[in-house]
Amino acid sequence: MPLRVEQKGLDFGADVPRRPARPRAWTVSQLTDRLQGLIETEFFDVWVEGEVSNLTTPSSGHWYFSLKDASAQVRAVVWKTAARLVKFRPKDGAKVLVRGSVRVYPPKGEYQVSVEVIEPLGKGSLQQAFEDLKAKLDKEGLFAATRKRPLPMLPRRVAVVTSPTGAVIQDILRVVERRYANLEIAIYPARVQGPEATAEIVRGIRAISALGGAFDVLIVARGGGSLEDLWPFNEEAVARALAASRIPTISAVGHETDFTIADFVADVRAPTPSAAAELVVGAKDELCGRVDALRRRADAALGLRLARVRARVAALTQHRVFEAERGRIRTQAQRVDELARRSQAGLTRRVERAREGYRRTGARLDAFRWDRQIAERRARLASQAGRLAALARQRVGAGRGVLGRLAGKLDSLSPLAVLSRGYALVWDGGGRLLRHPGEVETGDPLRIRVQGGTLAARVTGKETP
């Protein structure tokens, strides 16, 4: 209804419209909760294709990465419980197809794909290579049933070519221990994945075959994986090594749904490594068949009961209450991973700063090390001592030269030097040096000095010039 305003007796006849009521504002949390409900309800099961980037795998066991194409990207996460079941582990740059549900991460207001299944894309070239080699070997007769050899009834020694550290050999040993503990197993260690795997598998097959009758059966085994992981068993070299084996062979590669070239060439294909062990010791099962039949019936009944219980539990866990709790737990887990990454980065920066300060302090201490300064001054003193000694030797040599020259001059002026030329010195009996014949008389004693000695004489006569 319009208002009529009056002030100080004045009538403002104009109708003033009523101000509209202020709309109710949403908090950020309320808006995020509303969007979370809409998004997670609408996109609870989606398939997304893209390229993997920024893949990180923290110690919590979750995987975080981004899926991108030419125009956009979306965050994705594989929770630890789902990561155990994913056969294909992606790498940065890999083209993948993922299945999961879109979830909202409230602390950042971001949405992400909670991935349950990952499949690689771009396998066409490998699949084509598989089909080409399969056709080639089939044409040569390597797959023919006529060349397949039966397994021995009661084998004594069995050789296994596989990784010694994987779960496959443990599965085989457990089955053998359970079914026929007296069976001897020899393991030839070989890589079963990677660029060196093919050569090592071929060497193992040939080494066991070269021993001839030392073994009764050869098992080539590996666990499940992607087409790329199983590719060494699709190589022609492995197929020809199996075909040339002198003892019966069993191919136990991957899971029951996985097929490799080795499966077609080997004498027997086992769906799993455990099944290969069961095939080898099958004779004992026949002897205990009735007991096993009863056990299987009991296991089947128990399995059916467990399946029903699991179905009920699974139905209960799908309730919205449990799903909401799982969502909150995953959100907190993601926050924990994010805080752990930030803490790690901060710790790394502090450690780097401390190392830099230590290096600078060490450099300053090295510049003022007394032992280094003493060594430098000792070296300088030794250099100056050497120079002083050289100068002293030079001065002494020069003095000796001058002394030699003066000694030569002195010798030339010495009266004794005249004696070497045939002259003599004469003294009277009183020891006076005679210079004139008139200084002595006839009969006076004389002492004459010549080079080499002194002579005693007497004056027998005098002659004057």
Side-chain angles (χ1 to χ4, degrees):
M1 177 183 295
L3 298 177
R4 190 172 186 83
V5 180
E6 294 184 1
Q7 186 175 5
K8 296 182 180 180
L10 299 178
D11 183 11
F12 298 86
D15 292 335
V16 179
R18 187 187 301 271
R19 177 178 294 178
R22 181 181 178 183
R24 183 176 67 89
W26 290 32
T27 65
V28 176
S29 298
Q30 291 172 340
L31 179 60
T32 302
D33 289 342
R34 182 65 179 273
L35 291 175
Q36 183 177 13
L38 294 175
I39 292 175
E40 294 182 359
T41 302
E42 181 68 20
F43 300 100
F44 68 94
D45 187 9
V46 294
W47 289 87
V48 183
E49 176 181 342
E51 177 182 330
V52 176
S53 66
N54 300 324
L55 175 65
T56 58
T57 56
S59 58
S60 61
H62 311 314
W63 301 352
Y64 299 100
F65 57 95
S66 296
L67 287 174
K68 66 178 183 179
D69 56 17
S71 303
Q73 68 176 3
V74 61
R75 298 289 298 170
V77 58
V78 180
W79 303 110
K80 181 179 180 179
T81 53
R84 298 193 189 101
L85 304 177
V86 175
K87 294 188 294 183
F88 169 74
R89 180 164 183 165
K91 298 180 179 179
D92 286 343
K95 300 285 187 179
V96 296
L97 180 65
V98 304
R99 180 183 181 182
S101 57
V102 179
R103 302 287 183 181
V104 175
Y105 182 48
K108 286 191 174 182
E110 297 176 347
Y111 73 92
Q112 60 189 11
V113 180
S114 179
V115 178
E116 300 290 339
V117 178
I118 304 178
E119 296 180 0
L121 295 177
K123 297 191 298 182
S125 58
L126 290 179
Q127 189 64 35
Q128 186 61 44
F130 175 85
E131 298 296 338
D132 293 344
L133 181 59
K134 179 181 176 183
K136 174 184 176 181
L137 298 181
D138 189 16
K139 186 177 180 180
E140 294 181 13
L142 267 66
F143 301 165
T146 54
R147 60 168 298 277
K148 305 287 185 178
R149 293 164 291 189
L151 299 179
M153 190 68 175
L154 292 172
R156 294 169 300 145
R157 301 185 69 198
V158 176
V160 183
V161 177
T162 189
S163 171
T165 59
V168 169
I169 189 61
Q170 299 301 325
D171 293 341
I172 293 175
L173 294 177
R174 279 195 295 269
V175 172
V176 171
E177 180 69 19
R178 184 178 70 250
R179 298 168 70 90
Y180 191 20
N182 296 329
L183 185 63
E184 184 176 351
I185 301 292
I187 303 171
Y188 187 96
R191 292 185 178 91
V192 293
Q193 182 175 338
E196 297 86 6
T198 300
E200 294 188 9
I201 295 170
V202 170
R203 281 198 298 269
I205 295 172
R206 291 175 178 172
I208 299 301
S209 177
L211 297 175
F215 296 95
D216 301 310
V217 179
L218 168 62
I219 300 176
V220 178
R222 188 207 187 282
S226 64
L227 180 60
E228 291 83 356
D229 296 337
L230 302 179
W231 194 252
F233 299 91
N234 291 321
E235 295 287 354
E236 184 174 355
V238 175
R240 296 197 180 278
L242 286 171
S245 174
R246 297 168 59 185
I247 61 176
T249 57
I250 299 177
S251 174
V253 180
H255 300 297
E256 187 170 1
T257 57
D258 298 324
F259 282 89
T260 64
I261 297 296
D263 294 334
F264 298 104
V265 177
D267 295 308
V268 176
R269 179 205 177 246
T272 62
S274 299
E278 293 174 358
L279 289 173
V280 169
V281 295
K284 188 173 182 179
D285 291 340
E286 295 177 3
L287 299 177
C288 303
R290 295 182 64 183
V291 175
D292 290 341
L294 294 175
R295 184 181 296 113
R296 285 193 296 270
R297 289 178 59 186
D299 291 343
L302 181 60
L304 181 60
R305 181 69 179 271
L306 290 176
R308 291 174 178 172
V309 173
R310 288 193 185 102
R312 289 188 62 189
V313 172
L316 291 174
T317 57
Q318 296 301 319
H319 195 275
R320 291 185 60 187
V321 174
F322 293 101
E323 185 62 27
E325 289 299 324
R326 279 196 295 270
R328 281 193 286 270
I329 292 173
R330 289 170 177 173
T331 298
Q332 295 300 322
Q334 189 165 352
R335 291 195 63 185
V336 169
D337 290 337
E338 182 179 353
L339 292 174
R341 285 195 299 269
R342 291 170 58 187
S343 300
Q344 183 66 29
L347 181 60
T348 302
R349 288 193 298 270
R350 293 192 63 181
V351 169
E352 288 300 325
R353 287 196 296 267
R355 286 177 177 170
E356 182 62 25
Y358 175 76
R359 285 194 292 267
R360 289 197 299 266
T361 304
R364 294 176 61 187
L365 288 176
D366 286 341
F368 290 98
R369 285 178 55 181
W370 289 108
D371 56 348
R372 182 173 298 175
Q373 294 188 22
I374 291 172
E376 292 177 355
R377 296 192 179 186
R378 282 179 177 172
R380 195 182 315 154
L381 181 61
S383 176
Q384 292 177 354
R387 292 175 58 190
L388 182 60
L391 182 60
R393 286 193 296 271
Q394 182 181 359
R395 296 289 296 274
V396 169
R400 284 178 177 172
V402 172
L403 182 60
R405 290 193 299 271
L406 293 176
K409 290 181 179 181
L410 185 60
D411 286 340
S412 65
L413 297 175
S414 174
L416 298 178
V418 181
L419 301 179
S420 63
R421 297 197 294 271
Y423 294 93
L425 296 175
V426 182
W427 289 272
D428 61 7
R432 291 181 303 162
L433 183 65
L434 297 181
R435 293 179 176 81
H436 192 272
E439 295 179 357
V440 293
E441 299 293 335
T442 303
D444 288 343
L446 299 175
R447 189 164 57 88
I448 304 171
R449 172 73 180 270
V450 297
Q451 187 178 11
T454 303
L455 301 176
R458 285 185 179 276
V459 179
T460 58
K462 296 190 296 182
E463 294 181 4
T464 55

